[in-house]
Amino acid sequence: MFRTYTDYVNKTALTLPDKFIDVRTGESIEVLPKVLEQIEYHSNNSTLIHLVLTALNSYLQPKSINNGNSILLEEIREIKRMMQMGYLPRGNGQMGNGPTQINETSNLDLIEVEDVLEAFGG
């Protein structure tokens, strides 16, 4: 079932189905009640076009990595280091002494990090 939300002040109308196709993955996704709530709120406050443009801007802008994510990047770097060492969890919680095939480049490729974050939902 479709429902149309209208911002008469800015002459903006948005018709929503119950489900939509994610253009990145091709998956069919149900429209969340929180999304409907926000669309209705902005429709009633004549800011529907601003909500749409904000959402498009967030979708089209590449995510920047700032200093606030340094802890996350350090954790990902540690996971990568453990994987390169052949870490196998044991019952006593100690790290295994796997082959030491550590790549000399300890720097983390940010594109690789972005791919991992995208794989887990962003």
Side-chain angles (χ1 to χ4, degrees):
M1 182 170 158
F2 289 88
R3 180 166 176 192
T4 300
Y5 297 88
T6 308
D7 172 355
Y8 291 104
V9 173
N10 295 305
K11 299 179 182 174
T12 306
L14 186 61
T15 302
L16 296 180
D18 293 334
K19 294 182 178 182
F20 66 98
I21 297 173
D22 187 321
V23 293
R24 291 184 187 173
T25 64
E27 295 178 38
S28 180
I29 300 174
E30 192 169 316
V31 178
L32 296 175
K34 186 175 183 178
V35 172
L36 295 174
E37 180 182 302
Q38 285 297 307
I39 290 172
E40 188 167 335
Y41 171 82
H42 287 282
S43 177
N44 291 333
N45 290 299
S46 303
T47 55
L48 185 57
I49 189 65
H50 299 287
L51 173 67
V52 171
L53 291 174
T54 300
L56 284 172
N57 192 49
S58 296
Y59 174 77
L60 296 173
Q61 289 286 331
K63 294 178 182 164
S64 64
I65 297 174
N66 58 29
N67 293 336
N69 294 330
S70 63
I71 294 172
L72 176 63
L73 291 175
E74 184 60 37
E75 291 292 326
I76 292 173
R77 184 177 292 121
E78 180 65 19
I79 291 169
K80 181 179 179 182
R81 186 185 66 77
M82 289 170 31
M83 290 172 66
Q84 288 176 333
M85 291 178 61
Y87 170 74
L88 295 173
R90 295 187 178 165
N92 60 8
Q94 295 180 349
M95 288 182 61
N97 292 328
T100 56
Q101 299 174 352
I102 298 175
N103 189 350
E104 290 298 322
T105 58
S106 62
N107 293 332
L108 195 59
D109 183 6
L110 292 181
I111 293 173
E112 191 176 326
V113 171
E114 287 179 5
D115 289 344
V116 170
L117 293 176
E118 282 291 325
F120 288 100

